Amino acid sequence: LGVSERQLRRRCQVAFGYGPKTLARVLRMRRALGWARAGVPGAEVAVRAGYADQAHLSREVRGLAGVPLSALVAVRGPVS
């Protein structure tokens, strides 16, 4: 990217409100949510998105969104 680690962190903080690691977690969760909404089974969603297992996916979603994956899947609308 041509910027230092500190500069990347600062730019992410300004643009997104959190650092690059959290951004990566959010983007991975969004991909998983898209597959889950498309009807892909939970275990396969976890594998496709790069989680260790379905339990890891569940913990990550609850940690980031504060609700279980099923609650997010039930809400129709764009993945944002």
Side-chain angles (χ1 to χ4, degrees):
L1 296 173
V3 296
S4 69
E5 183 179 338
R6 279 181 72 148
Q7 186 65 20
L8 177 62
R9 183 178 312 281
R10 277 191 299 252
R11 288 183 182 186
C12 280
Q13 187 68 37
V14 168
F16 306 109
Y18 38 76
K21 290 269 192 181
T22 303
L23 175 60
R25 290 174 60 208
V26 169
L27 294 175
R28 181 167 66 163
M29 183 187 72
R30 287 179 57 184
R31 284 191 303 274
L33 180 57
W35 287 317
R37 284 184 174 162
V40 176
E44 189 175 338
V45 168
V47 169
R48 285 186 185 185
Y51 293 97
D53 54 25
Q54 192 171 353
H56 181 206
L57 167 62
S58 296
R59 284 189 309 273
E60 189 77 354
V61 170
R62 187 176 290 275
L64 288 169
V67 296
L69 180 61
S70 60
L72 293 178
V73 170
V75 176
R76 288 292 166 189
V79 178
S80 50

